[in-house]
Amino acid sequence: MSILGNRVVRLEDPRFLTVGGTYVDDVPLDGALFVTYVRSTMAHAVISSIDTAEARVAPGVVAIFTAADVDLAPRPPAIPMLNMAMTRPWLSTDRVRFVGEPVAAVVSETRAAGVDAAELVFVDYEPLPAIVDPESAEQSEVLLFPDVGTNIAMDIGAMMGFSPAPDFFDGCDVVVRQRIVNNRVAPCPMEVRAAAAVWGPDGRLTQWASTQNPNALRDSLAEAYGLEPSQVRVIAPDVGGGFGAKTGLSTEEHLLPWIAKRVDRPVRFVETRTESMLTMGHGRGQTQFVELGGTRDGKVLAWRNVVLQDAGAYPGMGGFLSFMTRLMASGVYVIPKVEFGGKTVVTNTTPTTAYRGAGRPEAAAAIERAMDLFAVEIGMDPAEVRRANLIQKDQFPYATAMGATYDSGDYEQALDLLLDAAGYRALRDEQARRRAEGGTRQLGLGLAVYVEITSPVPGPEFGGVEVTADGKAVVRAGTFSHGQGHATAFAMIVADRLGIALEDIEFVQGDTDLIPTGQGTMGSRSLQTAGVAVAQASTQVADKAREVAANLLEAAPDDVVLDTASGNFHVAGSPTVTRSWSEVAAAAHADGDGLRVDIDFTPEGASFPFGAHLAVVEVDVETGRVELTRFVAVDDSGRILNPLITEGQRHGGIAQGVAQALMEEVRYDEDGNPVTANLADYAMISAAELPSFELVPMETPTPLNELGAKGIGESGTIGATPAVQNAVVDALSHLGVRHVDMPLTAERVWQAIQSAGEKA
Amino acid sequence: MKPAPFEYHRPDTVAEAVTVLAAHGDEAKPLAGGQSLVPMLALRLARFEHLVDVNFVDELVGIDRADGWLRIGAMTRQAAVERDAVVAADAPLLARATPLIGHFQIRNRGTIGGSLAHADPASEYPAVAVALGAEVEIAAAGGSRTVAAADFFLGTWTTALADGELLTAVRLPVWSGRCGFAIEEMARRLGDFALAGAAVAIRLNDADDGVAAAGIGLFGVGPTPVKARRAEAALVAGERHPAEIGRLAMADADPTDDVHATAGYRTRVGAHLVARAVERALAEARGGQR
């Protein structure tokens, strides 16, 4: 019986739960200095002077650098679709564009000395008007990049030929329209960003980093410093979460090798939580103008979404993500006409970046909200409106108007499983009862049926398997587990194919000297890329081993069988005469070149997990307070390798999705000052605000890879956010409330009730 | 490390503590549980040249009842207050307020004296103190004094404590007879500071259901905890309509806008919470003799 599909307890957890991990800040580095960045306290200002004199003579200070010292060219956006003239300096030159931007670097013997000295660097700012609201950025006379002449960083509509058709809604009985704010949120991984740089006597750079993609970081550093990739070694030790924000190539860590060279010592940088909230990057930040038209009997005919994406001060990954929103615009529905337009603008705020879901939650939130608006308008149950428009299971592979090809799915079954598990009818009856009673606690039900894209970036991924002379295995991967449980998942694949015990399988990742290539972990890609490579490498190692075993057994290789239950080789039909892995491996290493296979696996294409979520909320109409009382989720990510791990991913994703809907929002005042820069002011969700999730299993394998696996890392945030938002609006729909923007704080919900009451 | 540099003092007695405090005036700050002060130091929102750590002053710890008063030493941990049978019996409002403070890890360190001296207007203990009519005991090198809770809180994070003074204990009158107590608050998350809240104590006449005494402390709706005198008086005068009592209570409040809520919303919710707490306290009081 295969180990795959079993609830195998994570192999990495005992270490994390007992002695703890080893993070960048824990790595011993002899003689390392500490780098503290002096950060802009202004959102938008011209720098008239920087006075470092007092700080230079402060105790423990080794050096202080400003832009005048840095002889590296400003960097254009990392993504070519963005306006490449909007370059980012390493340290602020003549102006600052957001609060938190690094202006100077203090290098000190201790961290404490650096923090103290940074306070003694005096920067004179001449304030400029700040652009905080993305909707004012396009027309504003205030320009973040005066030489560029515009605040538009990308015009996705123009790039993709968007031109609103005048007859777009012809034939529609009903058209609903809504401006929807997909609120800006902070990723908040447990470990903040950290990095260290050491130059070797051979001119080789070693960089420790808290990253999701060590090999990409290696290549980026090599490019920045004019080195061959082989002259750079990136080591990612344990990494405490990333949620997409650690895929970026941060200025603070990229400058470390330059600083290390100038001071001729190793240097280390670890940000504080407040710094992290200001500069790690934020997710979402998209304003959507949606229009959906259809017939009174529930058929959707036309769907248009025009988005305004906030890139923050320097366009990067976040500015580009509306491409993902566009690709997934029509969700799980057959819609005859789809249009998508929009722009990306720069504002005097923290740059936006990838955050769990990265463009797809925005797509799902827009259409799932619009489906509910449509359902209310035509007086149909939201579940039935969705059912009437779902892509049917015999339509896969399904090509969408926006150019995606969904690999496999059965959306109606997901919806049915959900409604059954939730007891949807009974909940609707309870809702009706409470409405009739007119009490203060009203019930709301929110649905989201979603599809998302995983492993969206094409190209190969590395996975390798080696059986060492003692019959144990080493598995290597070019992905990078920073909480995802790859040590367990990939070992399970090896164990399944080779019959080697889990505890005898060593997992290696995160050192570019040991892992030659790899894209890292993002976009829910690891199992369906590196996992498949590991599976294929395991199969090939088994083939090699059978040849060695054939020699030992004096048989033809084709007649030798590997019994994965016992981990022994024998001749077919003669199970009593066996050779163990250790015997075969010893022979292979003694007589040949060992047992190692490295694979670069290129998937046929991206895969499209899907599911259906239902949120049940109680809203106190006296105070606006929302309580999430139930959350039911069907998530189909193809074949499940380890339900324990996928359930963990679903739990975390749902929690973050609920958080965006109910409480989390990065906010600025009108001058661009951040007002949610710590975890007291920024309402990151905790278990106390969440019910136990009711997870319903569903498995529709993908034909795209031999594991049948799609990704699961981001499904939770994609389905949960619109489900919760829809539930809150649903609870109040009888009062005339049609839409409330996120986060659905008590005050905002209460205001919506008041406004609806005034209109009525 | 993250705080600005400071000199650390660790007295073993109140006498030693007030001597150190007196020596350094406004450059010194007592360090109690550290659950508010330390984050403020780490963010450099607060700076002191001298921190006087009173965590090793044993005489500041303990809960005693005498002469109709409950006396709780300043360094008594919130977790100890939460679990104490005497507090549960003689100051139920304090016992019920305690689980609303932060999280259990915070209550394991946080102290009742620290919470009162820190005087965050959105925190629970100051409102309970004004609702019940508590007094705080204050020591200094020149002698000690007692201040009524209603006179103790002067502004956000500002109290009647002068430089060199140390809050040593809080004294809570034991409300006996036909009493009821309730605390209601609205916070964004479990353990967050309240957007608005109300702590209510009511004593009924023995003979009828008339209100003999009412104490209402509001929190999160002004620069200090607010004693809702008009609502208290109305209750004693016979007003029973919850919405009216809530409205009267908020007439004494002075809420402001911040990142978490507007003043208008705080007023609205505050009135609602007062009404709910008063209803609950009345119901408990009517339920019988305590």
Side-chain angles (χ1 to χ4, degrees):
Chain A
M1 204 184 95
S2 172
I3 190 174
L4 303 186
N6 286 296
R7 305 177 69 86
V8 175
V9 174
R10 301 200 329 168
L11 303 171
E12 50 268 78
D13 287 348
R15 183 172 64 88
F16 286 123
L17 295 173
T18 55
V19 295
T22 301
Y23 302 89
V24 170
D25 203 19
D26 304 320
V27 173
L29 286 174
D30 281 349
L33 298 170
F34 200 84
V35 174
T36 305
Y37 288 99
V38 177
R39 297 184 180 279
S40 172
T41 55
M42 304 289 292
H44 199 195
V46 169
I47 297 177
S48 48
S49 70
I50 306 174
D51 177 2
T52 60
E54 199 175 329
R56 269 177 212 282
V57 296
V61 171
V62 174
I64 295 181
F65 300 111
T66 66
D69 304 303
V70 180
D71 51 358
L72 298 166
R75 296 193 300 163
I79 294 165
M81 286 80 161
L82 297 164
N83 190 325
M84 299 302 273
M86 293 178 170
T87 60
R88 179 167 183 173
W90 294 81
L91 295 170
S92 307
T93 51
D94 59 322
R95 61 176 62 211
V96 290
R97 296 183 175 86
F98 71 99
V99 172
E101 179 169 346
V103 175
V106 175
V107 190
S108 57
E109 295 286 351
T110 67
R111 193 174 312 203
V115 178
D116 291 339
E119 286 196 324
L120 302 174
V121 174
F122 301 104
V123 184
D124 268 347
Y125 297 105
E126 293 169 24
L128 297 169
I131 298 178
V132 181
D133 171 20
E135 287 177 67
S136 70
E138 184 180 351
Q139 301 302 328
S140 177
E141 288 172 14
V142 178
L143 294 175
L144 270 73
F145 299 88
D147 297 345
V148 179
T150 176
N151 288 323
I152 299 171
M154 186 175 89
D155 186 337
I156 187 174
M159 291 169 86
M160 304 306 286
F162 168 64
S163 167
D167 59 351
F168 193 62
F169 293 107
D170 285 5
C172 296
D173 303 330
V174 169
V175 180
V176 291
R177 296 185 167 85
Q178 185 65 49
R179 171 183 174 274
I180 300 171
V181 176
N182 203 281
N183 42 320
R184 178 189 277 246
V185 292
C188 301
M190 263 205 269
E191 185 204 13
V192 293
R193 270 187 317 197
V198 186
W199 290 95
D202 54 356
R204 205 161 177 254
L205 169 66
T206 299
Q207 182 113 350
W208 278 264
S210 181
T211 177
Q212 297 176 225
N213 45 357
N215 292 79
L217 178 58
R218 173 196 62 188
D219 296 349
S220 173
L221 287 167
E223 190 186 340
Y225 291 99
L227 301 168
E228 289 300 315
S230 61
Q231 290 176 280
V232 180
R233 178 184 190 183
V234 169
I235 302 173
D238 289 321
V239 170
F243 305 114
K246 287 180 184 168
T247 56
L249 307 167
S250 88
T251 296
E252 287 89 341
E253 60 188 322
H254 266 58
L255 192 56
L256 292 187
W258 182 89
I259 296 172
K261 186 150 265 182
R262 284 290 297 264
V263 299
D264 199 23
R265 298 259 296 269
V267 297
R268 187 184 338 243
F269 159 71
V270 182
E271 67 188 7
T272 65
R273 178 60 64 183
T274 299
E275 285 181 294
S276 187
M277 297 295 282
L278 294 180
T279 69
M280 169 175 269
H282 297 149
R284 317 289 187 255
Q286 194 179 84
T287 307
Q288 306 162 333
F289 300 87
V290 305
E291 299 171 276
L292 185 144
T295 62
R296 288 239 164 245
D297 61 358
K299 275 288 177 190
V300 177
L301 299 179
W303 164 238
R304 177 187 287 151
N305 187 1
V306 178
V307 307
L308 185 66
Q309 175 64 51
D310 186 353
Y314 295 99
M317 178 59 82
F320 158 80
L321 286 174
S322 47
F323 266 96
M324 301 298 281
T325 310
R326 181 183 182 278
L327 187 67
M328 300 312 296
S330 54
V332 290
Y333 307 110
V334 176
I335 304 178
K337 290 192 281 188
V338 181
E339 287 185 351
F340 188 96
K343 293 184 173 124
T344 295
V345 294
V346 289
T347 59
N348 292 112
T349 61
T350 297
T352 53
T353 188
Y355 170 61
R356 204 165 192 169
R360 297 100 89 197
E362 294 89 324
I367 191 151
E368 288 306 295
R369 193 72 272 287
M371 290 301 279
D372 263 31
L373 287 165
F374 179 57
V376 169
E377 194 62 33
I378 63 172
M380 209 165 152
D381 188 284
E384 293 318 305
V385 171
R386 284 174 170 80
R387 187 189 304 283
N389 293 283
L390 290 175
I391 298 164
Q392 297 300 300
K393 68 176 175 185
D394 58 6
Q395 291 178 280
F396 292 93
Y398 182 85
T400 72
M402 291 292 115
T405 301
Y406 298 166
D407 55 331
S408 63
D410 186 345
Y411 303 155
E412 188 161 12
Q413 192 194 346
L415 178 61
D416 285 338
L417 283 171
L418 179 79
L419 300 179
D420 282 354
Y424 185 73
R425 271 294 120 219
L427 287 167
R428 282 287 176 211
D429 292 344
E430 168 69 8
Q431 179 183 50
R433 190 185 68 74
R434 292 209 201 180
R435 284 183 180 181
E437 283 180 1
T440 58
R441 284 178 79 84
Q442 292 295 319
L443 198 68
L445 310 180
L447 280 168
V449 185
Y450 73 87
V451 57
E452 62 134 334
I453 178 171
T454 61
S455 192
V457 181
E461 186 52 271
F462 171 81
V465 175
E466 178 180 11
V467 177
T468 50
D470 55 1
K472 297 182 177 179
V474 178
V475 56
R476 299 177 176 85
T479 48
F480 184 76
S481 184
H482 49 289
Q484 289 81 356
H486 295 175
T488 306
F490 294 171
M492 286 172 68
I493 295 169
V494 174
D496 174 64
R497 303 288 163 114
L498 300 186
I500 293 175
L502 288 176
E503 56 269 26
D504 290 335
I505 301 169
E506 181 193 352
F507 176 59
V508 176
Q509 64 163 10
D511 182 337
T512 61
D513 274 9
L514 304 176
I515 307 292
T517 62
Q519 290 193 37
T521 288
M522 71 283 294
S524 304
R525 65 186 300 276
S526 299
L527 184 59
Q528 60 192 306
T529 56
V532 176
V534 166
Q536 294 180 347
S538 300
T539 301
Q540 292 185 28
V541 165
D543 289 344
K544 278 186 158 192
R546 269 208 306 280
E547 289 180 25
V548 177
N551 260 336
L552 299 177
L553 291 162
E554 297 175 355
D558 286 350
D559 293 337
V560 173
V561 175
L562 167 59
D563 176 3
T564 54
S566 66
N568 287 324
F569 296 82
H570 63 82
V571 177
S574 309
T576 52
V577 181
T578 62
R579 293 291 181 271
S580 69
W581 262 114
S582 47
E583 290 170 295
V584 171
H589 283 266
D591 304 334
D593 51 2
L595 295 169
R596 174 171 179 168
V597 175
D598 290 340
I599 297 266
D600 284 308
F601 169 71
T602 304
E604 281 176 46
S607 67
F608 293 81
F610 61 93
H613 288 185
L614 178 81
V616 182
V617 300
E618 290 188 3
V619 179
D620 183 336
V621 295
E622 292 285 327
T623 63
R625 187 181 181 83
V626 176
E627 185 187 349
L628 180 66
T629 55
R630 285 181 70 193
F631 197 93
V632 192
V634 178
D635 295 299
D636 189 325
S637 60
R639 184 158 288 140
I640 302 299
L641 182 121
N642 183 340
L644 200 63
I645 291 176
T646 56
E647 286 166 16
Q649 286 280 13
R650 293 162 74 188
H651 275 251
I654 291 167
Q656 285 176 307
V658 173
Q660 187 190 0
L662 290 185
M663 39 186 51
E664 294 190 16
E665 183 177 40
V666 173
R667 289 167 62 186
Y668 294 87
D669 71 13
E670 60 193 12
D671 298 322
N673 297 304
V675 293
T676 51
N678 59 55
L679 294 178
D681 291 328
Y682 183 81
M684 187 178 163
I685 205 163
S686 75
E689 284 76 47
L690 295 163
S692 288
F693 304 140
E694 301 164 51
L695 302 184
V696 181
M698 180 168 170
E699 293 191 38
T700 307
T702 177
L704 295 174
N705 65 65
E706 63 187 82
L707 294 175
K710 309 182 186 184
I712 188 63
E714 295 158 287
S715 297
T717 55
I718 292 164
T721 305
V724 172
Q725 188 180 22
N726 282 339
V728 174
V729 176
D730 182 64
L732 307 173
S733 64
H734 65 299
L735 303 176
V737 174
R738 289 292 171 270
H739 180 78
V740 189
D741 270 322
M742 304 183 292
L744 299 156
T745 60
E747 175 160 13
R748 203 173 268 185
V749 171
W750 181 77
Q751 294 287 6
I753 296 168
Q754 303 313 305
S755 302
E758 284 159 19
K759 276 184 217 152
Chain B
M1 178 185 309
K2 285 154 76 180
F6 57 83
E7 195 172 325
Y8 175 79
H9 304 268
R10 215 207 82 178
D12 291 317
T13 64
V14 170
E16 284 174 38
V18 296
T19 303
V20 177
L21 287 168
H24 299 291
D26 65 358
E27 292 184 343
K29 187 79 174 174
L31 171 65
Q35 300 304 292
S36 297
L37 179 60
V38 169
M40 292 174 82
L41 293 170
L43 291 167
R44 301 198 172 197
L45 293 172
R47 291 160 192 261
F48 295 96
E49 297 288 316
H50 300 270
L51 283 191
V52 182
D53 183 351
V54 290
N55 280 276
F56 300 86
V57 181
D58 293 341
E59 63 190 286
L60 289 174
V61 180
I63 300 171
D64 303 291
R65 182 177 168 171
D67 304 330
W69 290 80
L70 196 62
R71 183 183 184 280
I72 304 179
M75 286 303 294
T76 306
R77 307 286 169 188
Q78 292 153 357
V81 173
E82 189 175 359
R83 288 192 298 265
D84 190 87
V86 176
V87 173
D90 290 347
L93 190 60
L94 188 71
R96 293 172 196 176
T98 305
L100 302 177
I101 302 170
H103 304 273
F104 72 85
Q105 297 93 333
I106 288 172
R107 298 192 294 274
N108 283 340
R109 290 294 303 167
T111 64
I112 190 167
S115 181
L116 294 169
H118 180 61
D120 190 303
S123 62
E124 291 81 3
Y125 276 172
V128 169
V130 300
L132 294 179
E135 298 175 346
V136 296
E137 295 179 7
I138 297 168
S144 55
R145 62 184 180 125
T146 299
V147 177
D151 301 325
F152 180 71
F153 302 101
L154 303 182
T156 301
W157 304 333
T158 308
T159 67
L161 284 165
D163 293 338
E165 288 190 324
L166 180 70
L167 192 160
T168 51
V170 58
R171 285 159 41 83
L172 304 160
V174 177
W175 285 49
S176 51
R178 297 178 66 207
C179 292
F181 307 92
I183 183 162
E184 290 274 354
E185 73 173 41
M186 162 96 76
R188 294 172 309 157
R189 297 170 293 187
L190 184 84
D192 275 350
F193 280 115
L195 302 178
V200 173
I202 287 175
R203 181 167 63 238
L204 298 180
N205 296 324
D206 289 340
D208 55 39
D209 277 357
V211 173
I216 302 178
L218 310 177
F219 48 113
V221 293
T224 63
V226 175
K227 187 161 172 61
R229 296 179 194 278
R230 275 177 259 201
E232 292 172 353
L235 272 166
V236 174
E239 176 63 57
R240 288 294 179 276
H241 193 258
E244 176 60 12
I245 294 163
R247 190 191 68 75
L248 285 170
M250 294 314 292
D252 279 325
D254 184 19
T256 50
D257 293 346
D258 70 10
V259 61
H260 304 307
T262 62
Y265 183 69
R266 287 171 198 272
T267 302
R268 159 80 197 186
V269 170
H272 182 75
L273 295 172
V274 168
R276 203 185 281 182
V278 166
E279 282 188 297
R280 284 178 48 207
L282 278 170
E284 185 181 50
R286 286 191 201 105
Q289 188 80 22
R290 276 183 37 80

